[in-house]
């Protein structure tokens, strides 16, 4: 079958979706693609769920919509009230997008570590930005969450979405992401892999898959170096949106470690090399947290039973990281020599 024949066959089988009344209707029902090059020779299939296909570009659109709609429904968030959140970028983008459509101003307390691209997207959606010290510990009044609390307290009627403790975060993944994976694999998924940031994705989707499969689905967390989820020592984290430097006693309240069977810690150089390889070998332009999760999924697939189906969440795309993950100069400042990476280039 030629390329054109294939396209015509696909077009004939495609039913056009109805016209939507809002961009929020595009949130969820993201596609899944099977890795070919990176998974050659592995006993298991590796399927990547592309959360970059959400309108705000990440899995955080799901929780942003559920956080705001739940708060509106229970009266915590009044019409026109300001939403305040601390975010490394993607949750902020999701809240700014949904807030724009629901009439809520959004203030995001962010790290100076976020990419220029993410900052620009937040501003494009009209969010107000406040930079915080992302290295400040849980008892430091200057840490991002404490700063967000103070800002919200100073604005009449403002609402803290509190993604780290709000049950609507994992609920979004329990009710959407998990069921989508089950349907897309016709119930044949055997392994589920996701990075751990707030813990919402792995706790919510992982719980659904375990319950629906009567415990048969194995749930694996992906953690970067410098994070404590995998039992390591707290240090600098150079992978956006995942991990925590806080001790177990201060892990996000919504993270349920009982759902997770194993946490795989992936070296930074492997994370960023996987990002490059995904673009060059699979034509998948994905972000560093996706590289982290895919690298963990490949490790898991290498030891899985033949015929297993490993589903991995790719939280966002690579467009917001062109000045970081795909820039050799930035990688060098982060302590990685990009000369050995998949593209082998020496320029940024």
């Amino acid at each position: 079958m030629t390329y054109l024949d294939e396209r015509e066959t696909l077009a004939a089988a495609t039913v056009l979706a109805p016209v939507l009344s809002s961009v929020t209707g595009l949130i969820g029902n993201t596609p899944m693609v099977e890795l070919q090059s990176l998974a050659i020779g592995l006993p298991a299939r590796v399927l990547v769920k592309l959360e970059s296909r959400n309108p705000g570009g990440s899995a955080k659109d799901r929780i942003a919509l559920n956080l705001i709609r739940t708060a509106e429904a229970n009266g915590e968030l009044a019409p026109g009230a300001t939403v305040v959140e601390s975010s490394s970028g993607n949750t902020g983008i999701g809240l700014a997008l949904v807030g724009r459509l629901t009439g809520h101003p959004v203030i995001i307390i962010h790290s100076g570590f976020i990419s220029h691209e993410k900052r620009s997207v937040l501003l494009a959606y009209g969010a107000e930005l406040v930079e915080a010290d992302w290295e400040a510990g849980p008892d430091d009044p200057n840490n991002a969450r404490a700063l967000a609390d103070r800002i919200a307290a100073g604005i009449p009627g403002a609402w803290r979405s509190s993604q780290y403790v709000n049950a609507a975060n994992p609920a979004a993944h329990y009710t959407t992401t998990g069921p989508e994976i089950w349907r897309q694999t016709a119930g044949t998924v055997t392994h589920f892999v996701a990075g751990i940031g707030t813990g919402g994705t792995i706790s919510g989707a992982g719980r659904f898959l375990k319950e629906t499969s009567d415990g048969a689905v194995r749930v694996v967390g992906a953690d970067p170096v410098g994070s404590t989820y995998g039992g390591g020592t707290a240090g600098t984290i150079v992978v956006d949106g995942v991990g925590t430097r806080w001790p177990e006693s201060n892990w996000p309240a919504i993270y349920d470690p009982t759902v997770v069977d194993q946490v795989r810690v992936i070296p930074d150089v492997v994370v960023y090399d996987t990002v490059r390889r995904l673009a060059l070998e699979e034509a998948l332009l994905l972000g560093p947290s996706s590289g982290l999760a895919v690298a963990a999924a490949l490790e898991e697939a290498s030891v899985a039973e033949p015929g297993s189906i490993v589903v991995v969440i790719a939280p966002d795309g690579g467009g917001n990281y062109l000045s970081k993950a795909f820039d050799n100069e930035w990688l060098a400042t982060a302590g990685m020599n990009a000369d050995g990476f998949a593209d082998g280039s020496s320029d940024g």
Side-chain angles (χ1 to χ4, degrees):
M1 179 180 288
T2 68
Y3 171 76
L4 289 177
D5 290 337
E6 185 178 318
R7 293 297 295 171
E8 288 175 0
T9 300
L10 178 62
T14 299
V15 178
L16 291 177
V19 175
L20 301 172
S21 61
S22 166
V23 169
T24 58
L26 295 172
I27 296 175
N29 293 311
T30 53
M32 201 178 284
V33 63
E34 182 172 359
L35 292 183
Q36 301 297 328
S37 177
L38 270 67
I40 286 177
L42 297 180
R45 297 170 65 194
V46 179
L47 313 182
V48 183
K49 190 159 174 62
L50 299 174
E51 291 297 289
S52 59
R53 296 303 182 93
N54 286 299
S58 85
K60 298 297 188 177
D61 287 3
R62 296 178 187 266
I63 75 164
L65 182 61
N66 202 43
L67 289 169
I68 286 178
R69 287 307 191 198
T70 300
E72 288 176 330
N74 64 26
E76 291 181 9
L77 178 60
T82 299
V83 175
V84 182
E85 182 58 277
S86 59
S87 166
S88 60
N90 283 332
T91 299
I93 291 171
L95 288 170
L97 181 152
V98 176
R100 181 57 48 188
L101 295 171
T102 54
H104 298 288
V106 174
I107 300 175
I108 299 300
I109 292 77
H110 66 91
S111 163
F113 184 70
I114 68 170
S115 69
H116 299 304
E117 294 90 347
K118 278 187 179 179
R119 189 189 305 268
S120 296
V121 173
L122 284 163
L123 291 172
Y125 281 129
E128 180 181 337
L129 304 185
V130 178
E131 187 171 324
D133 179 5
W134 225 248
E135 301 296 311
D139 300 319
D140 190 326
N142 294 315
N143 76 60
R145 297 184 209 176
L147 179 55
D149 289 341
R150 290 199 300 275
I151 290 173
I155 301 172
W159 174 71
R160 277 281 279 121
S161 50
S162 303
Q163 62 170 326
Y164 295 93
V165 299
N166 194 325
N169 178 341
H173 294 289
Y174 184 89
T175 58
T176 68
T177 313
E180 286 173 28
I181 291 169
W182 190 256
R183 290 195 302 269
Q184 286 171 301
T185 63
T188 60
V189 55
T190 58
H191 299 67
F192 173 63
V193 182
I196 312 173
T198 65
T201 303
I202 199 165
S203 299
R207 184 180 299 113
F208 175 87
L209 292 171
K210 275 190 174 293
E211 291 176 359
T212 307
S213 68
D214 293 325
V217 172
R218 175 174 164 82
V219 177
V220 177
D223 205 34
V225 171
S227 173
T228 60
Y229 285 130
T233 302
T236 300
I237 299 173
V238 297
V239 181
D240 291 59
V242 285
T244 181
R245 297 177 65 252
W246 292 8
E248 184 174 349
S249 59
N250 287 104
W251 284 355
I254 62 167
Y255 172 50
D256 185 358
T258 66
V259 171
V260 182
D261 296 297
Q262 182 181 0
V263 176
R264 291 184 177 274
V265 179
I266 307 299
D268 294 334
V269 68
V270 175
V271 170
Y272 285 94
D273 190 54
T274 303
V275 170
R276 297 288 185 96
R277 290 190 64 199
L278 283 164
L280 290 168
E281 299 179 37
E282 306 281 358
L284 289 172
L285 189 68
L286 301 175
S289 59
S290 298
L292 172 79
V294 169
L298 292 170
E299 282 191 1
E300 190 67 20
S302 70
V303 296
E305 291 292 323
S308 296
I309 296 179
V310 180
V311 172
V312 54
I313 297 291
D316 65 3
N320 284 341
Y321 306 94
L322 296 177
S323 63
K324 296 179 70 172
F326 296 93
D327 186 290
N328 290 354
E329 207 171 291
W330 181 88
L331 288 166
T333 66
M336 286 170 279
N337 181 358
D339 288 343
F341 284 6
D343 65 353
S345 67
S346 59
D347 58 34

